[in-house]
């Protein structure tokens, strides 16, 4: 790779920096920047965003927090063995992986860690600020791609919120790609409002909910009466195990339900299951069964089966979100990025729920970014 | 039924008036008008069209052409036996079925019919004009819901075009709900342009293509690379038999392909099959298999299975189209109704192909109708 | 119906006699006996069983226990409205439905019922004996088709076991078509062994497990390595609600798992869900996802979707089982009917688990019945 | 790899020796023999065949005919890139691939080849005999795994029959794993009868038909009435292209139909499509839709989707068949191997069509082989 160094460099600080999504994002960014692969799945590389002033892929510098030790190059090899990354890619982007690996700091709190909330936030903030300063970065965005944490109970800040607080304190934009609490905590509301940084979330829409956000509107626009919408998700990898915990799944399912309620104007019958199936590795299968009534009450059924690779679906969206949020901050946009609802199951703000309208909002937002100074 | 007679009455002249779709439309219109069933599947009964000035369901008077003899009440009983109409409905709307049946005239040309094109058009025109005059109707719309005819070859007008020409000559709006030629014939282009009537078509979008018109845009908006889109349709009834004829299927498949080409910006690999499976009766099953590449070329798959009742899907759209076209003519709208692309596989004019944009255009059109005098 | 009265009459005493399965069995037996419908789904009406000496359908007399009041003719009309029974059938077999209805006695214990175990068993026994005596029946079989009860806890006999004990005491053969405890209770083991009646069960194999009993052996015979077998069942009706109770579902799922363990020689990953979806009524949909490894570890997937009507699947098997058990008792067969494993998820005894072997055993059993005096 | 050379060596002569199936068989045999992979998918490596006296995997020597030039090690790399072979495997078995490659001779007739039938057969026979002699092989079996050829028309021997004739002349057992004509040609009937070699075929049962051979019996045994059985196959690779030719597909579909006719006792409605979808590479997807009637005519549906890798499914069966046929010849078995129907869509002889019975016959055959001298 010999892409010339861009004039300015910006940072992408990943919470869960050694996870499958983060590893795929780092490796994929390098591969696309080097022309080894087309930018499939990256909306920000399509024509409507050509003039949005987004940071070039070559300008992105990666770092982050993680509680695990496995080096990124090794993680990339594991992903290639599982068919998530193309064979040969880890070797082709070994330098970039090593560079990102050198910028990963221990997350927390680890078991037995007796540091209180304030000390943890301060430590995380220092890590981020150090990353920006040493790298000579114009700015950075913090993106949470860690495994889903159990729903928070009580007033204590869960780990995802500690990182979110650190992002605010470091003056960074913040994106929550998971269903974890992050900035959605009462104790952070005032800080978020006062911070002046842009933020987006939560819970990336990569499969079943993506489909629901186009099928729900279809039924509504055709005046068809959805009676029951049932779904089962099978997935392995770390996410499967995390979501097999009912408390973690609850947060995720709330997002899935929201799109139906919003687009159908009511909640049909039906449940959503998330099963941990380790044999599937990073691949997930989502089956949806939709029973609906047509004219004169005639019963009909639509079924969908989505077989995708979670990391390959998420990583390009993570790159999109990082670029959009970095540019938004550069343009002086602050507060909740409602126009990024296209990417999320449970978006901040009061935007539309139908994918087509969300896409229109996103394109409009991209144009506004281009018109900013 | 004791709905008070509306002041004005308007006509719906159905080509294929004894078919399943026509029978379901006539019976269903009466049932909904009488409050026996909610208007599920009728877009024109949803709030955005409340002020569009559409003719009331109680004002619709039905008649039409058909080459078959079976009386509508008997056809309705057959449909009820097949689960297409609710049991008891044929009896509940027997009067309306009988009234429509009395307004059905023989279609043609029958085998051995030696009347030429001109005489057939004249006869059909007279039938329609007679229907309007005797009924004291303000106006009428001609809607083609006959079985798909083989693709026209040569210059001769196929039957669907004879009826379309009669509609023009009788000064009626025209809707082609089938893939047959209808007004899409070079010999009718000048007459259509000069007629001053509104027209729409063709090929109602009721199942697989409806799905494609939301899934295609989803893939495009997410920058995913669709490699192959394959489909199989199983259906019985008259339509299954008609479409088992490769020549008839060709017209239908062209419409199905168009939505992919338009929304994906290219034609993926894959074929579409239409199988005649008489055991399925009026029910159809459509299976789609979509192989797409995500980030870094990772291969993923979406499959959909749509199990629907063809007549129950089509009939409310036929009523929608009749009302919209009647109101358009009343409002002085003429020529191709590009804003009705929402309803068709292969719409007239140069409107959008994505369902969401088509819906927005339809709602806008409904508002314009309301603003007309 | 004017089938001549057979010389001997035998009784079928249904626990849950007003339920969907029982109603379908009673109505269907009359319809098939009268020649209104072919005996589709009844294995005992196929050629291998022609000489087994089974009681004629016209010789079957129905009665039973239920805690509900709704008369059978009304239940049949409800089922016809839901598409479970053909329209017109309830009227055509009204006499038979009324006759069975007159033989239904209140089940129990009802809430507030203070009768103890012994008094309940005695009352149920008396009901059955009275049915046999008044009807002049040669013998009777008791078949449990009631809603699944929660898994028993502690030593107390659950209701299904009270009825089973009554069957023993009345000298009747016993069939448990449900996953409820029935005769599978330690307190009944001695009585069952001493009773000298034949018995079979449990949990009728009507859909997902039926499929598993042919697919499991296929994978095993081809030496393919099943890694994960996941399933979701959607069903409405009473059964859906009963099985939404995790305790009731546990019993059912144990049976589903058993067929995999037995045929695959091990337990693959994967869960089974049973969702209550009232909108589906008596219809159920079962989706199975099977991830397996082939040669050199290549990952492959089979998915199945089974859409069936629970009562229509169960009722002919109930008639089969009643006839086979009645004939077995007549032939002097006693104890567990291991050869009826073809019909059950969790069969009594140590028979094969693969459907093909179970079928061979059933045919052999039918031949033995024919050779008996 | 350093497996000790077995005392005796036997030959496997592959028609289509550079194709995906052949390459996978050669590479896989080496990998399993070396203990790099378990023998998943090889029925002959399961306990029932432990004492059948089959040739050890280490004793198999590969050669064959092909009209293409690409060396086997290169073909193996291509398959690894497509996910058919595990990455790293081609390198691990490079020696075995090179050894087999050295034993591949040009097939024919090539375009412009003016040699007549007799000269071609003689040339092929000489190739095989030379292979046996130079290798010091005890015997060899000829296995056709070439792309399906168009259905033969007229009396001329198609290429597959030329190779079959050469096998007979060389005194080798013969297995036709494809739907091509092979030994099924009138002109070869006398030679086959007189040859004294065992032979088996045709058309390996690897996916949709495998499923049908267990599902068909299930419906029959349950007395369910299959009304329509429809199927669509999507596959890329050479086979997809070959079968997109209707003439080639006709032979394959005849085999698929046969299993239904034989197991259901009649031919239900429904068609089978084979689509060439190059984007799928060596992966194939088969969708089946089965509409059946249950008790009282209630309509139900089963759908299956099979996603498999053609070569990975076929290769272990090819190894099984080679070993079984070699051992059969050694044991003095001659003529059609009816007991190998387990492996074929359209088996030679009059064996059973249900997989369970075919498996029982195979196990019995394996035992007989063990009892032979």
């Amino acid at each position: 790779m010999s892409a010339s160094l861009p004039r300015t460099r910006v940072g992408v600080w990943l919470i869960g920096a050694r996870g499958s999504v983060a590893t795929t994002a780092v490796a994929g960014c390098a591969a696309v920047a080097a022309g080894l692969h087309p930018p499939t799945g990256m909306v920000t590389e399509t024509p409507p965003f050509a003039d949005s002033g987004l940071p070039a892929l070559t300008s992105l510098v990666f770092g982050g927090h993680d509680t695990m030790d496995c080096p990124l190059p090794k993680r990339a090899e594991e992903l290639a063995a599982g068919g998530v990354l193309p064979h040969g890619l880890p070797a082709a982007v070994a330098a970039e992986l090593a560079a990102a690996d050198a910028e990963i700091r221990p997350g927390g709190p680890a078991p037995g860690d007796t540091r209180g909330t304030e000390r943890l936030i301060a430590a995380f903030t220092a890590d981020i600020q150090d990353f920006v300063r040493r790298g000579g970065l114009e700015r950075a965005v913090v993106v949470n791609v860690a495994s889903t944490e159990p729903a928070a109970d009580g007033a204590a800040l869960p780990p995802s919120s500690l990182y979110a607080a650190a992002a605010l304190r470091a003056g960074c934009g913040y994106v929550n790609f998971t269903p974890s609490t992050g900035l959605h905590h009462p104790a952070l509301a005032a800080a978020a409002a006062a911070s002046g940084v842009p933020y987006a979330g939560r819970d990336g829409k990569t499969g079943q909910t993506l489909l629901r956000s186009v099928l729900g509107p279809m039924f509504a626009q055709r005046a068809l009466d959805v009676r029951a919408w049932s779904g089962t998700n099978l997935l392995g990898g770390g996410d499967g195990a995390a979501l097999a915990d009912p408390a973690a799944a609850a947060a995720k399912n709330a997002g899935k339900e929201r799109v139906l309620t919003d687009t159908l104007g009511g909640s049909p019958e039906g449940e959503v299951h998330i099963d941990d199936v380790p044999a599937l590795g990073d691949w997930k299968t989502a089956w949806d069964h939709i029973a609906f009534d047509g004219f004169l009450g005639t019963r009909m059924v639509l079924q969908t089966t989505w077989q995708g690779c979670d990391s390959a679906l998420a990583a390009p969206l993570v790159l999109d979100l990082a670029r959009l949020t970095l540019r938004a901050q550069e343009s002086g946009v602050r507060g909740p990025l409602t126009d990024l609802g296209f990417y999320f199951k449970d978006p901040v703000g009061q935007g539309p729920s139908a994918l087509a309208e969300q896409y229109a909002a996103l394109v409009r937002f991209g144009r506004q970014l281009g018109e900013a100074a």
Side-chain angles (χ1 to χ4, degrees), chain A:
Chain A
M1 263 186 64
S2 62
S4 67
L5 202 66
R7 282 192 310 276
T8 63
R9 288 151 46 95
V10 290
V12 182
W13 187 263
L14 300 163
I15 312 302
R18 300 192 191 284
S20 299
V21 173
T23 306
T24 305
V26 172
C29 181
V32 173
L36 302 177
H37 285 274
T40 309
M42 291 189 62
V43 182
T44 50
E45 286 289 308
T46 60
F49 299 88
D51 299 323
S52 297
L54 302 178
L57 291 177
T58 47
S59 74
L60 301 185
V61 178
F62 294 92
H65 282 116
D66 206 310
T67 55
M68 290 188 298
D69 285 333
C70 181
L72 274 193
K74 184 152 183 295
R75 287 290 292 123
E77 288 295 348
E78 290 170 1
L79 291 173
V84 179
L85 292 180
H87 277 275
L89 186 65
V93 299
E96 288 85 348
L97 288 165
D101 193 68
E103 296 292 347
I104 302 180
R105 298 291 172 269
D113 192 332
T114 60
R115 290 179 290 177
T117 294
E118 175 51 34
R119 283 181 56 200
L120 284 163
I121 296 175
F124 296 157
T125 304
D127 289 337
I128 299 169
Q129 289 172 328
D130 187 49
F131 168 66
V132 171
R133 186 175 53 246
R134 282 184 302 101
L137 309 178
E138 291 281 322
R139 71 189 58 76
V141 60
V142 174
V143 185
N144 181 14
V145 289
S147 280
T148 302
E149 68 193 5
D153 52 344
L157 288 181
S160 66
S161 296
L162 301 179
Y163 293 114
L168 297 183
R169 205 172 288 184
C172 295
Y174 175 77
V175 176
N176 188 357
F177 202 76
T178 79
S180 299
T181 303
L183 273 185
H184 274 58
H185 194 284
L188 295 183
S195 69
V197 302
Y199 55 88
R202 55 181 179 168
D203 204 1
K205 185 162 66 184
T206 57
Q208 190 176 55
T209 310
L210 175 64
L211 269 177
R212 290 178 167 201
S213 71
V214 298
L215 296 176
M218 179 192 79
F219 286 110
Q221 290 165 0
R222 280 294 175 100
L224 297 165
D225 183 15
V226 173
R227 299 289 305 278
W229 199 312
S230 307
T232 296
N233 296 270
L234 313 178
L235 68 164
D239 220 27
L243 293 167
D245 173 355
K252 191 159 204 97
N253 286 344
K256 286 174 183 283
E257 294 298 326
R258 180 177 162 183
V259 67
L260 294 188
T261 308
D262 287 358
T263 60
L264 298 176
S267 270
E269 295 175 3
E271 301 175 39
V272 172
H273 303 286
I274 302 181
D275 290 7
D276 181 29
V277 185
L280 296 182
D282 207 52
W283 292 80
K284 69 179 175 187
T285 295
W287 173 70
D288 261 17
H289 178 281
I290 307 142
F292 62 99
D293 285 351
F295 198 47
L296 309 176
T298 310
R299 173 61 50 85
M300 315 193 199
V301 172
L302 170 65
Q303 293 176 73
T304 62
T305 312
W306 172 273
Q307 296 169 301
C309 172
D310 210 30
S311 301
L313 288 162
L317 306 184
V318 165
L319 295 174
D320 277 354
L321 286 162
R323 298 171 88 188
L324 289 162
T325 305
L326 284 163
R327 172 63 180 150
Q329 185 169 22
E330 181 184 35
S331 307
V333 179
R334 55 173 60 191
L337 298 174
T338 305
D339 288 334
L340 301 190
F342 177 76
Y343 292 100
F344 297 107
K345 290 194 188 70
D346 185 20
V348 296
Q350 298 299 323
S353 290
L355 192 74
E357 295 170 59
Q358 292 176 328
Y359 181 70
L362 177 65
V363 169
R364 201 166 48 236
F365 182 66
R367 202 160 45 233
Q368 290 165 359
L369 291 180
E371 291 160 1

